[in-house]
Amino acid sequence: MQAPYRMYARHLEGVYGGRVYRVGVDALFSCPNRREDGTGGCAFCDGRGASAVYHRTQEHELSRLGLCRDGIVEDFCSNAGSLAERIDRIRFQIERGKAFVKRRYKAERYSLYFQSYTNTFDTIENLKALFDAALACCPFVEFIVSTRPDCLPQQVVDLLASYTGMVEKVWVEIGLESANQRSLDLMGRNHDIECYIRAVKALHLRHIGVCTHVMLGLPYEGCDDYLATARLINAVNSDAVKIHNLHVCAGTRLDDWHRQGEVCTASLKRHVSDCIFFLRHLQDSVVIERMMCETPSHRRVSPRSFPDKHQFLAQVTQSMETHGWVQGDLV
């Protein structure tokens, strides 16, 4: 049965004839939005960075303790080690990641995913060395790099484009979050909407795919803001999106605002409704890679309880099918 939105897994199967599994890499990048001591950053960021579940070895123990307000944030390290050490770390992570997805999913096709922090925030020489070493580890179907729109100067775009002959597709994931500049300023993003638009145009000129990260439920936002964000994504022809529900991580500025009663997070019912509204205003060609955050519960102040992604997606699908709604039917 045809899904009411463009599912990522089915998109990959349609393009490559089978499942493709991401192998996540943490190459010890930092973030231009944080100071050397780790302070600063976006209001919602707890300084941990995104990482694949098989790299969260320390968090496995912490997850048994419930919500941990203290002692869970590793020191933000401005000295990531030598380039050789970072390359060794990448090679180890790729081997471990491949073994994990092969054991769990019987994977045969892999994508290389530079996932944690801002993966273009380094010298061009270091970026080339790190990317070259990682791609040499095994044949990858896709090469995916997660970054910020203000960390994509032309020389970095050119470097990423140079890998298009080594894989089937090069992708860049860009954190936008919202088309409302006031929301970006409140969250401390330190970039503007035009920066995002320029980045997408530069990537598309070099035939690089773009996946845009958006966050639903930001303070003071509602359907008008979600509509504006969907229309911006349509206007720039973003190839894919990742949707996150606003969630509060311990130790963040958002956590402070939440304790003061200034911020609340969406219920399951509201996030289902918000996602459906967003999907219906999004072009049907846009691939939906994610629709909810997967931050571990011991780091997540709110919402404390939320179903797993399979239950959530089932609710979105059932509601859309019941009403006869599909992605893009309100564009």
Side-chain angles (χ1 to χ4, degrees), residues 41-155:
C42 299
F44 51 77
C45 179
D46 66 358
R48 295 301 300 265
S51 61
V53 64
Y54 41 82
H55 296 324
R56 298 176 186 161
T57 53
Q58 181 187 14
E59 294 196 29
H60 294 164
E61 291 298 322
L62 290 169
S63 64
R64 301 187 184 128
L65 303 177
L67 175 62
C68 300
R69 281 196 175 274
D70 302 306
I72 67 166
V73 180
E74 296 170 346
D75 291 336
F76 187 87
C77 182
S78 60
N79 181 10
S82 70
L83 183 61
E85 289 170 337
R86 294 171 71 186
I87 289 173
D88 286 343
R89 174 187 174 94
I90 287 170
R91 288 170 174 159
F92 171 76
Q93 289 181 346
I94 289 173
E95 287 305 310
R96 180 166 63 180
K98 282 177 57 184
F100 176 85
V101 296
K102 188 166 188 176
R103 180 175 66 252
R104 173 166 290 192
Y105 305 110
K106 310 297 187 214
E108 296 181 353
R109 301 177 183 88
Y110 309 96
S111 292
L112 175 63
Y113 183 25
F114 274 77
Q115 180 175 12
S116 298
Y117 296 105
T118 305
N119 292 273
T120 58
F121 184 53
D122 209 329
T123 67
I124 197 71
E125 294 80 14
N126 281 358
L127 291 176
K128 185 176 186 333
L130 293 167
F131 294 161
D132 284 354
L135 285 164
C137 287
C138 79
F140 290 103
V141 175
E142 294 187 340
F143 176 37
I144 307 160
V145 175
S146 181
T147 189
R148 291 167 51 93
D150 55 347
C151 288
L152 285 164
Q154 191 59 50
Q155 62 178 348

Side-chain angles (χ1 to χ4, degrees), residues 43 79 82 97 111 167 169 209 218 255 293 310 312 318 326 331:
N79 181 10
S82 70
S111 292
V167 292
K169 184 74 173 180
L218 288 169
D255 186 9
C293 82
H310 301 292
F312 175 80
Q318 181 181 22
V326 294
V331 173

Side-chain angles (χ1 to χ4, degrees), residues 214-226:
V214 301
M215 193 173 291
L216 303 184
L218 288 169
Y220 315 116
E221 285 206 354
C223 286
D224 288 346
D225 302 286
Y226 308 154

Side-chain angles (χ1 to χ4, degrees), residues 7 27 30 57 59 77 81 86 91 99 129 186 188 195 247 254 267 328:
M7 297 174 60
S30 59
T57 53
E59 294 196 29
C77 182
R86 294 171 71 186
R91 288 170 174 159
L186 179 65
C195 178
H247 57 288
L254 205 60
S267 65

